[in-house]
């Protein structure tokens, strides 16, 4: 038996209870459907926010700002520098030129008009003479340039050179039966002519040297009257010391110890720049010989 007031809301019978139960069940189903919809919408939003799908069409299509390529700095063209050269001073042709300007034993000596004088190797005599000068090998390249023409090379000029033996003697004079250590060459397109000879000795009273004359052409190189320059080369001190230390140049060693370019009666009155220009640049040794180069400046 129920007590009074225990179920005040259920006082209407079974039909009312069933109706109430159906109502509650419907509300519960509605709540579950709403949760499912909310969950589906939230998942879709989450997938979209995370960029889901992995498709190429989903990748970021924003355009990156390109890095500018630096403009290369142009390399400046070097400014050409003009060549510099110095005019060789006029010097004496000395007592043994054999260019027709003097005599020996009562006869004019002129080797320039002899057949065979134009040659590269001047170590041996030519013509009826057959001797060969002994000494350490030397090759000398002479470049003739125009000091009034931007030091341009002078092509077709004839250069006559002569010098003493290792004992300080000169062919056709103090060695009258020989004409070695004399020769004429013609400059090429570079203004150059090369001679092969021996390293000259040093005789008493003179600094070691090589005589030379320059002519405007080979056709005119037959007499000293046509020369445009007469001068001398001063042999480099270091090379002289090396060569004169050998047994074949024993007298030269003694003579060289007593002379310098400053005390020499030919080179002594020249400027230091002139002496430098008149001194060949030379390399080598007493076993393989020496190779030298020198530039002769002429005002044309």
């Amino acid at each position: 038996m129920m007590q009074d007031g225990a179920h005040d809301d259920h006082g209407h019978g079974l039909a009312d209870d069933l109706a109430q139960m159906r109502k509650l069940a419907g509300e519960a189903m509605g709540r579950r459907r709403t949760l499912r919809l909310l969950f589906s919408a939230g998942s879709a939003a989450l997938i979209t926010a995370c960029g889901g799908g992995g498709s190429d069409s989903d990748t970021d299509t924003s355009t990156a700002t390109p890095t500018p390529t630096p403009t290369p700095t142009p390399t400046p063209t070097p400014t050409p520098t003009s060549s510099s050269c110095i005019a060789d001073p006029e010097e004496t042709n000395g007592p043994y030129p054999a260019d027709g300007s003097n005599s020996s034993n009562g006869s004019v000596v002129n080797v320039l008009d002899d057949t065979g004088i134009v040659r590269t190797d001047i170590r041996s005599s030519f013509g009826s003479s057959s001797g060969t000068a002994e000494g350490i090998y030397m090759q000398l390249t002479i470049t003739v340039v125009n000091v009034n023409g931007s030091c341009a090379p002078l092509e077709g000029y004839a250069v006559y050179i002569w010098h003493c033996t290792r004992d300080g003697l000169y062919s056709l004079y103090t060695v009258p039966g020989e004409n070695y250590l004399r020769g004429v060459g013609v400059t090429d397109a570079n203004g150059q002519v090369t001679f092969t000879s021996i390293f000259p000795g040093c005789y008493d009273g003179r600094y070691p040297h090589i005589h030379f004359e320059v002519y405007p052409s080979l056709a005119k190189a037959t007499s000293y009257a046509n020369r445009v320059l007469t001068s001398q080369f001063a042999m480099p001190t270091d090379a002289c010391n090396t060569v004169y230390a050998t047994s074949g140049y024993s007298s030269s060693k003694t003579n060289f110890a007593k002379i310098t370019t400053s005390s020499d009666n030919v080179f002594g009155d020249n400027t230091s720049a002139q002496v430098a220009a008149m001194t060949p640049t030379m390399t080598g040794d007493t076993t393989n010989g020496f190779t030298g180069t020198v530039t002769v400046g002429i005002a044309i």
Side-chain angles (χ1 to χ4, degrees), residues 91 206-207 260-271 275:
E91 301 291 2
R206 277 302 319 273
Y207 187 88
T260 65
T261 53
S262 299
S263 62
D264 184 68
N265 61 6
V266 171
F267 301 117
D269 60 352
N270 293 325
T271 67
V275 173

Side-chain angles (χ1 to χ4, degrees), residues 75-110:
T75 302
T77 302
T79 302
T81 56
S82 59
S83 299
S84 61
C85 54
I86 186 170
D88 280 54
E90 189 78 19
E91 301 291 2
T92 178
N93 62 357
Y96 313 115
D99 59 1
S101 63
N102 69 0
S103 299
S104 177
N105 298 320
S107 299
V108 174
V109 183
N110 187 6

Side-chain angles (χ1 to χ4, degrees), residues 86 88 142-146 212 214 229 233 277 294-298:
I86 186 170
D88 280 54
I142 302 167
T143 303
V144 182
V145 299
N146 182 8
F212 69 93
V214 181
L229 176 67
F233 299 127
V294 65
T295 298
V296 173
I298 299 176

Side-chain angles (χ1 to χ4, degrees), residues 123-143:
R123 291 176 292 180
S124 298
S125 292
F126 60 94
S128 60
S129 300
S130 58
T132 298
E134 295 182 351
I136 291 176
Y137 175 93
M138 178 189 69
Q139 186 181 78
L140 181 63
T141 297
I142 302 167
T143 303

Side-chain angles (χ1 to χ4, degrees), residues 67 124 154 205 216 224 243 260 263 281 284 296:
T67 301
S124 298
L154 293 173
Y224 74 97
V243 172
T260 65
S263 62
T281 299
V296 173

